[in-house]
Amino acid sequence: MSHPEDQDDGALFRSAIGEVTPLRKVGAPATTRPRPRARARMAEQDEAQALGEFARLLHSSTPLEAGDVASYRRDALPPGMFQRLKRGQYAVQDELDLHGANALQAEHLLRGFLLEAHAHEHGCVRIIHGKGLQSDGGAPVLKNLVDRLLRQRNDVLAFHSAPPAQGGTGALLVLLARR
């Protein structure tokens, strides 16, 4: 009879676990190819729908041109507060610069930025969209995208193109509702 001290560790292990059935032969290649990477079909559909909605919004009204002033005020906002916003008299608590983003990226960044601003209870933010002078012959894409999206949001009380010292017609000052 042999003592456990006389056996090597591998033999002790095999005797402890008993007989095993290998899943595949050692050294044999796997018979299946790796699965293709999953596609986010719903996200792709959402993006396509958002682009379609943006195109519809752009065509449903006259798009803003590069030098146009963007302006919007909900009826519930007192005119005096809107005048202060137009003059740039509110302290800007956060800023988003959309330069270099395409329409889809800009929309995603803008929605995330507004959620964050709302979570931090910011009252006034600046969104830099650029004047759109580099747009390919058409209307400034980001400027119109930001204008249309902000008009649809319930948490936006008002917005207006920034005073020249704060970005002029290439930026918006946005007044947000508190929670």
Side-chain angles (χ1 to χ4, degrees):
M1 178 167 152
S2 69
H3 293 326
E5 299 90 30
D6 297 339
Q7 297 178 2
D8 65 57
D9 289 339
L12 278 173
F13 177 75
R14 283 188 293 280
S15 70
I17 63 165
E19 190 174 326
V20 295
T21 305
L23 296 176
R24 64 182 170 103
K25 293 180 182 173
V26 177
T31 57
T32 59
R33 293 187 314 220
R35 298 180 95 182
R37 191 169 169 214
R39 285 180 43 210
R41 288 191 194 107
M42 293 305 291
E44 290 172 2
Q45 287 175 354
D46 289 347
E47 288 174 5
Q49 184 179 5
L51 278 177
E53 187 175 317
F54 172 64
R56 183 183 51 75
L57 282 170
L58 267 181
H59 296 302
S60 67
S61 60
T62 306
L64 295 168
E65 296 298 325
D68 290 350
V69 171
S71 187
Y72 171 78
R73 176 180 74 90
R74 290 202 183 277
D75 293 335
L77 185 75
M81 289 180 75
F82 188 59
Q83 290 302 318
R84 287 186 61 209
L85 180 70
K86 287 169 70 170
R87 290 191 294 265
Q89 294 177 335
Y90 286 101
V92 173
Q93 296 168 297
D94 204 356
E95 178 176 282
L96 173 67
D97 190 344
L98 296 173
H99 279 108
N102 64 33
L104 210 50
Q105 293 166 336
E107 180 180 359
H108 179 72
L109 289 169
L110 180 59
R111 289 182 192 278
F113 174 74
L114 291 172
L115 283 173
E116 281 291 311
H118 199 63
H120 289 95
E121 296 190 15
H122 293 324
C124 183
V125 295
R126 181 176 22 246
I127 299 169
I128 303 169
H129 48 70
K131 294 185 180 183
L133 299 174
Q134 305 300 320
S135 293
D136 294 330
V141 176
L142 296 182
K143 182 174 188 168
N144 282 286
L145 171 75
V146 171
D147 178 83
R148 299 313 187 266
L149 284 176
L150 292 178
R151 289 174 188 270
Q152 295 177 353
R153 294 189 58 102
N154 291 330
D155 57 346
V156 173
L157 297 174
F159 62 84
H160 195 277
S161 291
Q166 295 184 38
T169 57
L172 288 175
L173 297 179
V174 183
L175 206 55
L176 299 172
R178 302 275 185 187
R179 275 194 266 182

